[in-house]
Amino acid sequence: MGAVYFYHMTRTPLDATLPVLLEKSLAAGWRVALRGSNQAGLERLDELLWLKPEEGFLPHGLAGGPHDADQPVLMGVDLPVADRTALICVEGAKLDPGEVGGLERASILFDGGDPDAVQAARDQWREVTGAGLSAQYWSQESGRWEKKAEA
């Protein structure tokens, strides 16, 4: 059973953090479901991922196309994780603790400058740990990512 990692972004925005996490996920051999809270935000991230990293390519696609099953990173709103090994939730997308059992890892990325995002992450932490799942809280307040809590 996978763990849920909470990434409290305070120094780098989602646009810089997400490509790094996706590269590491693909290097681990994981098939990623990238869940967003709205289609417009996902379309913006889709465009970003076509442009970054400059020296590579992150294979991905928006859900709803004819080749969804072939996408190493599939992006969508309310995206199921049935055939995926990792889930990354961004921009307030929710994670159901019941879907974590079959994953290698689930991640929740949240903007430390947005009080509503911080509160939503705290609520998700309580929900995840209340369900008996392993959780880790990572912060970059010191300038680099450090694990600050584990349950």
Side-chain angles (χ1 to χ4, degrees):
M1 174 170 15
V4 181
Y5 284 46
F6 290 76
Y7 291 98
H8 188 169
M9 297 177 296
T10 56
R11 298 208 179 222
T12 55
L14 177 63
D15 291 5
T17 304
L18 182 61
V20 173
L21 286 178
L22 288 174
E23 284 178 349
K24 291 181 182 227
S25 297
L26 294 175
W30 298 341
R31 294 175 41 77
V32 180
L34 176 61
R35 184 180 292 160
S37 58
N38 65 73
Q39 191 64 29
L42 287 170
E43 289 171 3
R44 185 188 69 75
L45 290 173
D46 175 52
E47 194 170 304
L48 167 83
L49 294 175
W50 280 108
L51 301 174
K52 292 186 179 183
E54 292 179 13
E55 288 109 26
F57 172 68
L58 286 168
H60 70 283
L62 289 167
H67 305 289
D68 284 1
D70 299 326
Q71 297 293 345
V73 176
L74 186 62
M75 306 166 63
V77 176
D78 298 324
L79 191 63
V81 297
D83 65 340
R84 301 286 153 173
T85 49
L87 169 65
I88 298 176
C89 294
V90 299
E91 299 181 332
K94 298 292 183 204
L95 141 91
D96 177 350
E99 65 190 345
V100 176
L103 299 173
E104 293 291 327
R105 179 170 304 160
S107 301
I108 297 173
L109 283 63
F110 62 100
D111 180 354
D114 179 348
D116 292 335
V118 172
Q119 185 57 52
R122 287 181 179 144
D123 294 343
Q124 282 270 256
W125 176 273
R126 282 190 289 278
E127 191 175 349
V128 163
T129 57
L133 297 172
S134 172
Q136 295 184 13
Y137 167 71
W138 291 78
S139 171
Q140 59 181 175
E141 66 188 0
S142 71
R144 62 185 186 94
W145 288 105
E146 295 178 332
K147 182 168 47 169
K148 297 289 191 170
E150 188 167 8

